[in-house]
Amino acid sequence: MSPLQPVATDPTAQAPTLSLLASWIVVLSLLLGWLAVARPAPLAAQPTGVSWAWSGAITEGSAVVVARLARGVSEARLVIAPDGTDAEVDALTVPARGYASPDAHGLVRFEATRLSPATRYRYRVETREGQHLEGRLRTWAAGPFSFRIAFASCATTGSNHRVFDAIRALTPDLFVHMGDFHYLNIGRNDAEAFRRGYDRVLDSSRQSALYRAVPIAYMYDDHDFGPNNSDGTSASRPAATAVYRDHVPHYPLQAGADTIQQAFDIGRARIIVTDTRSSREPVDAPRPRTMLGEAQRRWLEDELTRAKDAALVIWVNTVPWITKGNESTHEGWAPYAEERERLATLIDTLGLTRRLVMLSGDGHMAALDDGTNSAYMAGRGPDSRGFVVIHGAPLDRWPRTKGGPYSHGVSRRDHQFGLLDVADTGTALEVTASARDAYGQLVPGLELRLRCDQTGCATR
Ligand SMILES: [Fe+2]
């Protein structure tokens, strides 16, 4: 028989085949439909010329943008314009307006210092060939200024979970990443391994989109500094610190210091970010031990003293402060109790206990304490009150509780973060601290509303 000749078929015999085919089509359509619902619309593909870009070190008049160019791209420039306009501003001071060549690792770093306060900007890192990546930022203002901070820690290396979209959707002015940016646990002095870590995280489309939409303040914790529970003796320390300095848009670091702590103002709030890994003594070192190292502790004491008139102090301390459930634990500040008491005593002496909010990560949980359990000053009694402590984690990592107890409880779930809203009325700061889920929704019970003036913060 010729292959082109129609084949006589028995229609009754073909019916079951057709119905089976139809069933498969229905199943396939349902599956495709489910996939379309379960997977959000893809983000715009990234051009190949600029691998990633992020901003930070925001002040009322300046910003830093760091980008990585693809191999073979010889130059790029930063174009910056007030959001909603094409009016490019001449803000760049480093390098001077024009194109910059990347370093040996493809990095370009731009500093804009002639920005206007409280202004939203759109920026574009653009290669000479016209390939570009866009980002956004808002400058702060000196004096009364309302702002929103999102904060979190702990995401499996290169996570592309939708929680990053949820954070972006809330349009914070700053994202404070409190460590475990990746879980590579690099235990050797290997700068290239740390560079790969940044690439793996920043190549994630959802994380990249968040970091381009929201300026960052990033402090590493153990897994992105060295191995689990790493301290200042980790062989990885020089590489972790050096690669951080190059890759992260950060506030000025202390000259000559081997720690990366930072402090800055947003409106009338003072933000202090401490480095709890680089100079940490091992938990089995003789007591009293230091978590911060002598030099950083002196720096912190100076910073707190200088901040004593701030309307609000936000201390980003990556690891659990409260360990009253078990003071013999190796978790958080428990093994460094003497240093904790010394700092708590200074904070109290300065009158800051009622004007300080601590943001923390490390524990894979969200938790909130209104001061009931956080008092560690010398001479404290059972009724002594400390400052507010809020944990916002984990971004994408299995849940685990650390420290505590916490007055408002613990949410031991995955895909969480924290949100701090500060509305400055000119006479007072209305502060709302809350924990959020993977959809940006409030985690029930984990919210605290404060009103802060020069006499301190009180719940409202
Ligand atoms: Fe973690």
Side-chain angles (χ1 to χ4, degrees):
M1 190 197 317
S2 154
L4 293 176
Q5 274 184 315
V7 179
T9 53
D10 174 0
T12 53
Q14 201 179 26
T17 313
L18 282 174
S19 102
L20 192 66
L21 189 66
S23 310
W24 274 109
I25 288 170
V26 169
V27 169
L28 197 63
S29 322
L30 286 171
L31 187 66
L32 287 173
W34 176 81
L35 281 172
V37 170
R39 298 172 63 183
L43 295 158
Q46 294 182 12
T48 53
V50 186
S51 303
W52 49 256
W54 54 350
S55 75
I58 307 295
T59 69
E60 53 263 34
S62 65
V64 170
V65 173
V66 179
R68 176 152 190 199
L69 307 184
R71 198 182 297 270
V73 174
S74 60
E75 285 182 316
R77 64 173 184 153
L78 183 74
V79 178
I80 186 160
D83 207 1
T85 77
D86 288 324
E88 182 182 332
V89 294
D90 180 13
L92 270 193
T93 50
V94 179
R97 189 180 179 133
Y99 288 89
S101 299
D103 70 6
H105 310 293
L107 296 180
V108 279
R109 186 180 196 92
F110 301 101
E111 218 176 298
T113 59
R114 290 193 287 267
L115 301 175
S116 304
T119 304
R120 292 185 191 281
Y121 286 96
R122 188 165 45 81
Y123 67 82
R124 196 166 71 235
V125 178
E126 190 179 274
T127 70
R128 203 176 268 285
E129 292 74 31
Q131 295 165 314
H132 66 268
L133 267 186
E134 273 201 1
R136 285 180 156 70
L137 59 88
R138 180 165 79 125
T139 50
W140 324 142
F145 177 72
S146 300
F147 57 92
R148 166 175 283 186
I149 294 177
F151 56 97
S153 71
C154 306
T156 294
T157 308
S159 164
N160 204 34
H161 194 270
R162 67 172 169 242
V163 68
F164 296 102
D165 290 346
I167 298 170
R168 185 160 55 99
L170 288 166
T171 62
D173 296 293
L174 177 70
F175 179 51
V176 177
H177 198 303
M178 303 178 290
D180 294 356
F181 189 64
H182 57 68
Y183 279 79
L184 292 180
N185 298 308
I186 302 161
R188 51 193 199 282
N189 188 21
D190 183 346
E192 195 48 41
F194 279 96
R195 286 187 201 106
R196 278 197 297 273
Y198 283 98
D199 284 340
R200 284 186 62 182
V201 176
L202 288 157
D203 284 346
S204 142
S205 58
R206 286 198 171 95
Q207 291 203 59
S208 173
L210 171 62
Y211 305 143
R212 278 184 282 129
V214 181
I216 191 129
Y218 160 48
M219 173 57 67
Y220 47 54
D221 200 28
D222 53 345
H223 296 280
D224 45 348
F225 168 78
N228 188 27
N229 295 326
S230 50
D231 54 46
T233 65
S234 175
S236 61
R237 186 175 85 170
T241 307
V243 176
Y244 176 97
R245 286 170 184 263
D246 290 345
H247 282 63
V248 180
H250 56 75
Y251 287 93
L253 304 177
Q254 298 306 294
D258 52 7
T259 45
I260 58 162
Q261 74 274 15
Q262 295 154 50
F264 51 97
D265 294 316
I266 306 183
R268 296 197 293 149
R270 183 71 174 162
I271 324 296
I272 300 174
V273 185
T274 43
D275 173 354
T276 62
R277 294 291 165 185
S278 302
S279 279
R280 168 192 290 244
E281 289 182 330
V283 291
D284 55 0
R287 299 194 87 124
R289 312 171 186 111
T290 173
M291 182 186 282
L292 302 176
E294 299 292 330
Q296 184 181 189
R297 197 188 62 237
R298 278 198 302 277
W299 172 90
L300 176 57
E301 288 168 348
D302 287 348
E303 278 295 330
L304 289 166
T305 305
R306 266 202 293 276
K308 70 179 170 47
D309 296 323
L312 176 69
V313 176
I314 299 168
W315 178 7
V316 179
N317 156 61
T318 53
V319 297
W321 175 261
I322 303 172
T323 54
K324 286 185 176 161
N326 178 11
E327 291 296 5
S328 64
T329 178
H330 276 180
E331 287 173 357
W333 279 86
Y336 307 89
E338 297 85 354
E339 189 170 51
R340 175 174 56 187
E341 183 175 285
R342 177 174 168 160
L343 292 167
T345 304
L346 175 66
I347 287 167
D348 208 44
T349 307
L350 293 168
L352 281 176
T353 299
R354 292 185 64 235
R355 269 184 292 131
L356 191 143
V357 172
M358 175 177 278
L359 312 183
S360 291
D362 183 31
H364 294 177
M365 60 178 190
L368 177 59
D369 191 86
D370 61 4
T372 303
N373 302 295
S374 60
Y376 283 99
M377 64 289 273
R380 63 190 173 275
D383 297 328
S384 298
R385 293 182 68 81
F387 41 74
V388 171
V389 176
I390 179 162
H391 282 257
L395 284 163
D396 187 13
R397 200 70 178 172
W398 54 80
R400 186 184 164 201
T401 301
K402 277 190 186 178
Y406 302 97
S407 63
H408 285 48
V410 172
S411 171
R412 193 173 179 277
R413 292 210 321 246
D414 202 354
H415 311 127
Q416 302 184 119
F417 60 97
L419 204 65
L420 191 73
D421 272 307
V422 178
D424 194 332
T425 64
T427 50
L429 302 180
E430 311 273 351
V431 179
T432 306
S434 62
R436 301 288 165 144
D437 67 13
Y439 301 93
Q441 300 297 311
L442 179 68
V443 176
L446 296 189
E447 184 182 56
L448 190 66
R449 291 168 180 270
L450 303 167
R451 185 173 193 279
C452 307
D453 57 27
Q454 285 306 313
T455 63
C457 301
T459 50
R460 60 182 166 92

